[in-house]
Amino acid sequence: MKLVYFIDHLRPDGAQKFLHQLVEGMASRGHQQIIICLNDSWDTGLVEQIRRAGVRVHIVGKIPLASGIGWLMTLRLLRRDQYDVAITCLFAADVIGRLLARAANIPRIITAVQTRNANYPWWKFWLVRLTAPLADLVVSCSATIRTFVAQHEGVPLSRIEVIPNSVSVGESRGSYSSEQVREELGLGPNDVLIGSVGRLTEQKGFDVLLHALPMVHGSRLRVVIAGVGELDAMLRRLAAELGIADRVYFAGYRRDVSSLLSALDLYVHPSRFEGMPFAVLEAMAAGCPIVASAVDGTRELIDDGVHGWLVPPDDPVALAYAIDAALGDIAEARRRGELARQRVAAQFNVDAMVDAWEQILIDITREAPTGVIRSERT
């Protein structure tokens, strides 16, 4: 099967992690693939990993797209190579990729939705709804996102499948020991370390975590936040204003997140909205005790009181209370962390995700070209 993927950029975020897992899995099964990256923004390490798997990567770029040349060159590539299915991921790819795939007469178009796009302005929703009929199927990463797509993007539920995100539990073993990581962060033997991973954006709620910290008991508490984004300077100012700058370490982008997770006493994920967050999946795979906001796909990963602690989003008081509860009962925290590790190993593994995608691709290519695949799965 010949597959073409459209994505906005190839920076190392959650949607790109999903795409990397999928194309590697499909490449191992003999499928021919190419990724068309619309923006000239990519992570060199990620692109090299994808290419080593035998997957082509074609970078279009903003200026060629804006001039129209990028559209024409991409259309020519699509018509020349004659792909069986086009898969789009993220806003620009959903709109532009659907149009280009249809113009190139690619028989089937699938859109992969990786988050509840609650921050979209009206015009983005309008463009997504306008081009949605061009897609034969939408694949969401959680049941919550499936409902959101139906309500806000105008896609009938019969055309939306759910395939959860996944993680390899083996990847939870980092290349550095927890002692090395803690030494790097300048921690003493009695320091308690909590951490969080994600883009420094409003969605991820790191400001909520910072507001919660002064209410958490324990003078030896330290926090590491790993990620980059537009709110970096604002979050640093907020930490200083709250008088906790000396307790918060902004680690920037880290390739070896698994090593960082191994050093944590507690993982905290304070997002305002999500898809099915890879950061939480990775923390579960590492066996970390977890406190998270009860949003979207996170609620499908963690049962409150079983695999971790869930709190309402945007509630620093509730977040502080849950952090205190987790740090105050080490045995219970470890028990929940182990149950989370077992759950992700059993239910959210990469092979199962690739199996589900491959079956959908087989099913959809067997449909008549003018038909719309009808899902019976819920």
Side-chain angles (χ1 to χ4, degrees):
M1 194 180 305
K2 296 183 69 174
L3 309 172
V4 55
Y5 304 85
F6 292 86
I7 194 163
D8 291 21
H9 62 83
L10 283 172
R11 298 189 295 271
D13 296 332
Q16 290 72 20
K17 186 180 291 288
F18 148 74
L19 183 61
H20 182 201
Q21 290 177 342
L22 180 59
V23 298
E24 277 198 337
M26 297 298 286
S28 70
R29 300 173 186 211
H31 300 284
Q32 298 180 48
Q33 301 169 98
I34 183 173
I35 296 174
I36 295 179
C37 177
L38 297 178
N39 196 340
D40 44 2
S41 176
W42 68 89
D43 177 74
T44 301
L46 175 61
V47 171
E48 287 177 353
Q49 286 180 313
I50 291 170
R51 285 176 170 158
R52 280 200 298 270
V55 180
R56 295 164 57 198
V57 178
H58 175 75
I59 308 293
V60 180
K62 278 187 176 180
I63 294 177
L65 276 177
S67 69
I69 294 175
W71 290 70
L72 294 174
M73 292 181 64
T74 305
L75 184 59
R76 181 181 178 184
L77 180 154
L78 296 174
R79 287 176 171 169
R80 181 193 68 200
D81 293 344
Q82 297 183 340
Y83 293 93
D84 300 304
V85 183
I87 300 165
T88 70
C89 187
L90 300 179
F91 166 71
D94 289 348
V95 175
I96 296 173
R98 289 166 177 169
L99 292 169
L100 284 170
R102 190 59 70 205
N105 295 318
I106 294 176
R108 289 300 182 196
I109 301 172
I110 298 176
T111 289
V113 180
Q114 283 288 301
T115 190
R116 178 168 61 90
N117 297 305
N119 59 342
Y120 271 12
W122 68 268
W123 60 270
K124 282 192 173 183
F125 277 121
W126 181 77
L127 285 173
V128 169
R129 291 179 72 98
L130 185 67
T131 57
L134 298 177
D136 300 283
L137 190 69
V138 172
V139 177
S140 66
C141 63
S142 76
T144 305
I145 306 308
R146 180 176 187 256
T147 301
F148 178 86
V149 170
Q151 292 176 345
H152 295 273
E153 299 185 11
V155 181
L157 286 172
S158 62
R159 287 174 49 207
I160 309 174
E161 287 275 8
V162 176
I163 300 179
N165 284 339
S166 60
V167 67
S168 172
V169 174
E171 290 177 359
S172 66
R173 299 171 183 171
S175 55
Y176 300 99
S177 69
S178 59
E179 291 78 12
Q180 288 174 309
V181 174
R182 292 175 73 91
E183 182 179 352
E184 174 195 339
L185 299 177
L187 300 178
N190 297 320
D191 288 329
V192 175
L193 182 63
I194 69 174
S196 194
V197 178
R199 289 174 292 112
L200 305 186
T201 62
E202 184 180 5
Q203 173 195 347
K204 297 301 180 180
F206 292 119
D207 56 314
V208 181
L209 173 58
L210 294 181
H211 279 291
L213 289 178
M215 294 181 275
V216 178
H217 296 92
S219 60
R220 303 298 297 179
L221 181 66
R222 300 293 182 266
V223 180
V224 58
I225 297 175
V228 295
E230 62 265 26
L231 296 188
D232 185 288
M234 184 277 285
L235 292 170
R236 291 174 187 269
R237 286 196 303 271
L238 178 60
E241 292 168 3
L242 293 171
I244 57 172
D246 61 333
R247 300 166 60 189
V248 181
Y249 181 78
F250 289 93
Y253 172 65
R254 290 185 68 107
R255 290 192 181 278
D256 195 6
V257 170
S258 54
S259 293
L260 180 64
L261 292 172
S262 72
L264 299 181
D265 296 292
L266 179 68
Y267 180 80
V268 180
H269 199 79
S271 288
R272 292 182 167 94
F273 63 93
E274 274 295 352
M276 180 166 280
F278 280 98
V280 173
L281 281 163
E282 289 169 349
M284 293 173 72
C288 288
I290 298 170
V291 172
S293 51
V295 297
D296 305 314
T298 304
R299 293 179 298 175
E300 298 171 40
L301 292 172
I302 296 174
D303 291 335
D304 185 33
V306 180
H307 311 99
W309 287 259
L310 292 181
V311 300
D314 244 327
D315 190 338
V317 175
L319 185 62
Y321 183 84
I323 292 172
D324 266 336
L327 295 178
D329 191 338
I330 296 175
E332 176 63 13
R334 288 176 177 170
R335 186 187 73 84
R336 296 188 191 188
E338 175 57 22
L339 289 175
R341 189 197 65 79
Q342 293 175 15
R343 183 178 204 183
V344 80
Q347 300 179 29
F348 299 94
N349 63 82
V350 175
D351 285 341
M353 182 272 290
V354 177
D355 284 344
W357 265 95
E358 186 175 43
Q359 189 58 56
I360 277 179
L361 290 165
I362 291 170
D363 290 345
I364 203 170
T365 53
R366 287 174 176 169
E367 292 284 321
T370 56
V372 173
I373 188 169
R374 295 294 176 180
S375 169
E376 295 180 357
R377 302 182 183 92
T378 58

